[in-house]
Amino acid sequence: EVAALARRVAPSWLRKLVLERDGYRCRYCKREVVDANANIDHVKPWPYGMTELSNLVTSCRPCNQEKGRSEHRKWRSRLR
């Protein structure tokens, strides 16, 4: 596991790890994303959840905007 970072935005090397792990697909809706339009989302919102691989997922912009800062079960249950 990559060490947790005390900052909100994932650095480029961590962003790349998340995108590759998730196969460049939104973990909520499975839409394909490209680096330029992908969001890296905190499952447990920052600063309550750390910026670390286990708390980050690839998200398309529509899902990321709809989810916002929520950690609602609806969103957790959509993770695949």
Side-chain angles (χ1 to χ4, degrees):
E1 179 74 23
V2 178
L5 301 170
R7 59 192 238 182
R8 183 172 177 257
V9 178
S12 60
W13 60 268
L14 183 54
R15 177 182 174 84
K16 183 175 164 101
L17 280 176
V18 173
L19 289 167
E20 288 176 352
R21 179 200 64 200
D22 296 343
Y24 287 81
R25 291 200 171 271
C26 174
R27 290 278 303 272
Y28 301 114
C29 72
K30 293 302 184 190
R31 228 181 247 138
E32 192 171 334
V33 298
V34 295
D35 193 16
N37 74 356
N39 286 285
I40 303 302
D41 184 45
H42 288 81
V43 176
K44 184 172 185 179
W46 188 89
Y48 309 106
M50 297 299 292
T51 302
E52 59 187 347
L53 190 57
S54 64
N55 190 45
L56 299 173
V57 294
T58 301
S59 176
C60 66
R61 287 189 181 159
C63 284
N64 189 264
Q65 289 174 345
E66 187 179 338
K67 177 181 176 269
R69 292 183 56 109
S70 108
E71 189 190 353
H72 192 274
R73 289 175 203 238
K74 166 185 143 180
W75 289 100
R76 282 187 162 273
S77 68
R78 291 173 81 177
L79 286 175
R80 304 170 205 263

